[in-house]
mmCIF file of all heavy atoms in Angstrom:
data_model
loop_
_atom_site.group_PDB
_atom_site.id
_atom_site.type_symbol
_atom_site.label_atom_id
_atom_site.label_comp_id
_atom_site.label_asym_id
_atom_site.label_seq_id
_atom_site.Cartn_x
_atom_site.Cartn_y
_atom_site.Cartn_z
ATOM 1 N N ASN A 29 -18.428 19.488 25.390
ATOM 2 C CA ASN A 29 -18.521 20.096 26.753
ATOM 3 C C ASN A 29 -19.418 21.317 26.764
ATOM 4 O O ASN A 29 -19.537 21.992 27.802
ATOM 5 C CB ASN A 29 -17.127 20.435 27.258
ATOM 6 C CG ASN A 29 -16.438 21.505 26.450
ATOM 7 O OD1 ASN A 29 -17.009 22.069 25.490
ATOM 8 N ND2 ASN A 29 -15.206 21.813 26.806
ATOM 9 N N ILE A 33 -17.869 27.582 19.340
ATOM 10 C CA ILE A 33 -16.830 28.286 18.592
ATOM 11 C C ILE A 33 -17.467 28.775 17.314
ATOM 12 O O ILE A 33 -17.956 27.992 16.500
ATOM 13 C CB ILE A 33 -15.649 27.343 18.254
ATOM 14 C CG1 ILE A 33 -15.032 26.791 19.544
ATOM 15 C CG2 ILE A 33 -14.588 28.070 17.426
ATOM 16 C CD1 ILE A 33 -13.999 25.704 19.304
ATOM 17 N N LYS A 47 -16.920 6.387 3.745
ATOM 18 C CA LYS A 47 -18.360 6.147 3.653
ATOM 19 C C LYS A 47 -19.122 7.261 4.363
ATOM 20 O O LYS A 47 -18.556 7.934 5.209
ATOM 21 C CB LYS A 47 -18.748 4.841 4.331
ATOM 22 C CG LYS A 47 -18.032 3.617 3.944
ATOM 23 C CD LYS A 47 -18.649 2.423 4.671
ATOM 24 C CE LYS A 47 -17.606 1.625 5.361
ATOM 25 N NZ LYS A 47 -18.131 0.446 5.981
ATOM 26 N N LEU A 101 1.036 -8.737 -11.056
ATOM 27 C CA LEU A 101 0.556 -9.307 -9.798
ATOM 28 C C LEU A 101 -0.870 -8.873 -9.476
ATOM 29 O O LEU A 101 -1.657 -9.661 -8.963
ATOM 30 C CB LEU A 101 1.482 -8.916 -8.662
ATOM 31 C CG LEU A 101 2.710 -9.826 -8.513
ATOM 32 C CD1 LEU A 101 3.751 -9.206 -7.603
ATOM 33 C CD2 LEU A 101 2.308 -11.179 -8.057
ATOM 34 N N HIS A 105 -3.679 -11.592 -9.001
ATOM 35 C CA HIS A 105 -4.432 -11.567 -7.764
ATOM 36 C C HIS A 105 -5.942 -11.505 -8.043
ATOM 37 O O HIS A 105 -6.746 -12.199 -7.427
ATOM 38 C CB HIS A 105 -3.984 -10.360 -6.924
ATOM 39 C CG HIS A 105 -4.616 -10.255 -5.585
ATOM 40 N ND1 HIS A 105 -5.672 -9.419 -5.353
ATOM 41 C CD2 HIS A 105 -4.361 -10.900 -4.436
ATOM 42 C CE1 HIS A 105 -6.030 -9.521 -4.087
ATOM 43 N NE2 HIS A 105 -5.250 -10.414 -3.489
ATOM 44 N N GLU A 148 15.895 -5.163 -4.373
ATOM 45 C CA GLU A 148 14.783 -5.821 -5.090
ATOM 46 C C GLU A 148 14.218 -6.960 -4.235
ATOM 47 O O GLU A 148 13.022 -7.192 -4.232
ATOM 48 C CB GLU A 148 15.254 -6.362 -6.436
ATOM 49 C CG GLU A 148 14.099 -6.913 -7.270
ATOM 50 C CD GLU A 148 14.472 -7.156 -8.700
ATOM 51 O OE1 GLU A 148 15.557 -6.693 -9.169
ATOM 52 O OE2 GLU A 148 13.696 -7.816 -9.410
ATOM 53 N N CYS A 156 5.058 -9.341 -1.772
ATOM 54 C CA CYS A 156 4.393 -10.615 -1.495
ATOM 55 C C CYS A 156 3.490 -10.523 -0.264
ATOM 56 O O CYS A 156 2.391 -11.040 -0.266
ATOM 57 C CB CYS A 156 5.447 -11.710 -1.285
ATOM 58 S SG CYS A 156 6.198 -12.222 -2.819
ATOM 59 N N SER A 189 7.583 -25.343 1.279
ATOM 60 C CA SER A 189 7.803 -23.935 1.655
ATOM 61 C C SER A 189 7.366 -23.009 0.534
ATOM 62 O O SER A 189 7.268 -23.390 -0.634
ATOM 63 C CB SER A 189 9.276 -23.716 2.011
ATOM 64 O OG SER A 189 10.102 -24.008 0.942
#
Side-chain angles (χ1 to χ4, degrees):
N29 65 2
I33 301 172
K47 307 185 230 183
L101 277 167
H105 183 261
E148 187 168 347
C156 286
S189 60

